[in-house]
Amino acid sequence: MPEPLTKLERRILDYLIDYLRRNTYQPSIREIGRRFNIKSTKTVSEHLQSLADKGWIERDPSRSRGVRLLGLDLTTETVPVPYYRDLAAIAAAVAADDSFELDRRLANGGGGSLFLSMNGEGMESAGIRSGDLLLVEPVMEEELEDGDVVVVHLDGACTLGRFRERGGQRMLDLADPAYAPLPLHERGDLVFVGRVSAIFRRFRVPRLAAASAAGERANGDPIP
């Protein structure tokens, strides 16, 4: 999975995608500079190199339009978003269980996003319940805002938490109330997987699916 982008890097990547879809070729470094009011071509080149280093593009610095987008199919209006059945699957870095096609406008371009099923008690305080399907998008720590719900990798496992800023201190309230708020500066091993940007929830379960689930519960089998 490519590394998360800064806000400006994400805007530049979105511009590259939109420009390519409209023109069938990439913008020049000077055109990118004019679009984002960056006067130095060297600075634009550094942003492009950062996108390349993070695995989003491939570039040829000797050419003005020498940029190739990686892992993006621009021929359709949708993008495949990998689906994981639980947090444990993300922590184990295993292959996704499935994928869903999602409109590009809803998936923020799609790159690095994932779907996650919420199993267990969820985070009722954040409006997240068991059975919800969460859209998780990559994010840099400096982009987080107070109250954001995030998926983090910590102590070999993944968990949900709510990002907080209190008196200049950055904290993480974990979903499990048994754990005290975690000061971020004390845990260098904590990695942000992404921020929960959307929740998909069924208000009614199809009758056959509900009957099947009830039968599995009666037999003591786990519900996927």
Side-chain angles (χ1 to χ4, degrees):
M1 183 181 297
E3 294 183 39
L5 303 176
T6 66
K7 188 175 294 185
L8 178 56
E9 288 170 349
R10 187 175 297 117
R11 290 178 62 203
I12 292 175
L13 180 63
D14 288 342
Y15 175 66
L16 295 177
I17 294 171
D18 291 339
Y19 192 101
L20 180 60
R21 297 188 73 187
R22 291 195 310 268
N23 301 281
T24 71
Y25 57 86
Q26 286 289 2
S28 67
I29 287 181
R30 293 189 183 279
E31 286 172 321
I32 297 172
R34 286 196 296 270
R35 172 64 178 79
F36 295 98
N37 197 27
I38 303 174
K39 296 182 179 179
S40 169
T41 56
K42 181 176 182 293
T43 301
V44 174
S45 183
E46 289 172 350
H47 285 305
L48 292 177
Q49 189 57 49
S50 180
L51 288 172
D53 292 341
K54 292 181 177 181
W56 294 89
I57 67 172
E58 189 177 80
R59 64 188 302 252
D60 179 356
S62 65
R63 298 172 52 208
S64 176
R65 302 179 189 272
V67 171
R68 186 171 72 88
L69 299 172
L70 299 177
L72 294 174
D73 180 6
L74 303 183
T75 62
T76 66
E77 296 295 329
T78 62
V79 291
V81 179
Y83 161 75
Y84 295 86
R85 66 175 62 239
D86 53 33
L87 288 163
I90 298 176
V94 298
D97 297 288
D98 203 342
S99 67
F100 297 112
E101 292 291 328
L102 192 65
D103 190 297
R104 290 180 183 277
R105 295 167 295 181
L106 297 177
N108 194 22
S113 299
L114 60 89
F115 275 120
L116 165 68
S117 280
M118 189 65 232
N119 297 317
E121 297 182 1
M123 288 186 67
E124 292 285 346
S125 62
I128 298 174
R129 304 173 185 171
S130 181
D132 285 349
L133 186 64
L134 310 181
L135 177 62
V136 181
E137 296 180 329
V139 66
M140 303 289 287
E141 182 179 339
E142 56 266 26
E143 294 182 86
L144 292 173
E145 300 177 1
D146 184 63
D148 281 345
V149 177
V150 294
V151 176
V152 297
H153 191 276
L154 179 66
D155 290 335
C158 281
T159 186
L160 279 177
R162 188 187 283 275
F163 176 79
R164 294 294 190 190
E165 285 189 298
R166 298 168 179 161
Q169 297 235 349
R170 298 162 74 85
M171 314 281 291
L172 191 68
D173 288 340
L174 299 178
D176 190 338
Y179 290 90
L182 181 68
L184 295 184
H185 68 278
E186 294 182 0
R187 294 303 300 258
D189 58 337
L190 183 146
V191 176
F192 287 93
V193 176
R195 171 171 50 198
V196 176
S197 61
I199 301 173
F200 297 84
R201 176 181 302 152
R202 277 189 177 274
F203 286 102
R204 294 187 63 184
V205 178
R207 184 174 300 176
L208 290 178
S212 174
E216 290 184 359
R217 290 192 188 95
N219 293 329
D221 297 328
I223 306 299

